[in-house]
Amino acid sequence: MDDGYVVRMLSEETWPAFAELVEANNGVWGGCWCMGFHVKLGKDRTAAQNRADKEQRVRAGTTHNALVFDGDRCLGWCQFGAPDEVPLIKSRRLYDKELVALPDWRITCFFTGKGLRGRGVADAALGGALAEIARNGGGVVEGYPEETDDRKVSGSFLHTGPMPAFERAGFTRTRQISPHRWVVTLTV
């Protein structure tokens, strides 16, 4: 990668670096641990439970995250998976309304550590996810990014990814599912 970043998949080997980044950032959005697209989060789920469930999924090979590293330090990631692995998405009602067929893969969320945003981490993570998807047979890939064309957007709204990162990777806007969120697709 041009920035000297290396992308590695989340695994038992990379779990400690992933966990260090999550812990340094309050469990990511108050304790999600990148579980929000796997299971419904709420008052009945604790950050500790999310952490344990994410680690169990790593051990079982049922979660996919492309982690961006600078040396040994994890800077951020992009989560992806088949629809049955990451069944929960934002704007579900409008998504289902015009659904023709499920994609082979979903790009569900991004995270970049505090103080590291704006350095190409999301682009590197998305590129790593697409390379891993290609290595695993490819297919139709969907993302659900937030449009940022005409407005300044808080980083907390960009957890599904910024539209420019998807467009740079070759995704096409397919349909709008909220005032500023789109379904975008790419065949890999």
Side-chain angles (χ1 to χ4, degrees):
M1 310 230 144
D2 321 35
D3 299 324
Y5 298 146
V6 173
V7 177
R8 298 169 61 197
M9 293 303 112
L10 179 57
S11 66
E12 289 185 61
E13 181 183 321
T14 59
W15 171 262
F18 170 82
E20 182 178 330
L21 178 62
V22 174
E23 289 165 355
N25 288 274
N26 191 33
V28 178
W29 292 291
C32 174
W33 277 86
C34 206
M35 285 295 296
F37 293 91
H38 290 293
V39 298
K40 185 168 175 50
L41 301 180
K43 291 183 286 186
D44 58 331
R45 288 191 61 90
T46 66
Q49 183 181 12
N50 290 336
R51 182 190 200 283
D53 286 355
K54 187 69 172 189
E55 188 170 12
Q56 185 279 326
R57 286 174 183 270
V58 169
R59 293 179 194 281
T62 58
T63 189
H64 296 87
N65 291 62
L67 308 180
V68 178
F69 283 84
D70 184 7
D72 292 336
R73 183 178 176 211
C74 181
L75 307 178
W77 66 79
C78 168
Q79 179 175 260
F80 62 99
D84 61 341
E85 182 182 307
V86 283
L88 304 177
I89 60 171
K90 305 294 181 194
S91 307
R92 188 59 183 245
R93 185 182 57 78
L94 287 174
Y95 174 83
D96 286 343
K97 186 177 179 179
E98 295 182 32
L99 180 65
V100 174
L102 287 174
D104 299 298
W105 297 90
R106 286 182 168 151
I107 305 284
T108 55
C109 69
F110 290 78
F111 182 77
T112 301
K114 290 177 190 156
L116 303 170
R117 296 181 182 130
R119 299 181 186 182
V121 174
D123 287 299
L126 181 56
L130 293 173
E132 184 69 5
I133 287 168
R135 196 178 73 71
N136 283 285
V140 175
V141 182
E142 267 186 2
Y144 316 98
E146 187 81 8
E147 179 184 62
T148 58
D149 295 345
D150 58 351
R151 64 197 179 97
K152 179 107 171 104
V153 180
S154 165
S156 63
F157 285 104
L158 296 177
H159 66 279
T160 56
M163 182 65 79
F166 282 91
E167 289 177 333
R168 284 190 294 272
F171 282 79
T172 302
R173 295 179 192 213
T174 305
R175 58 195 169 96
Q176 199 166 4
I177 55 174
S178 83
H180 300 286
R181 184 172 294 117
W182 288 76
V183 174
V184 295
T185 57
L186 176 71
T187 300
V188 175

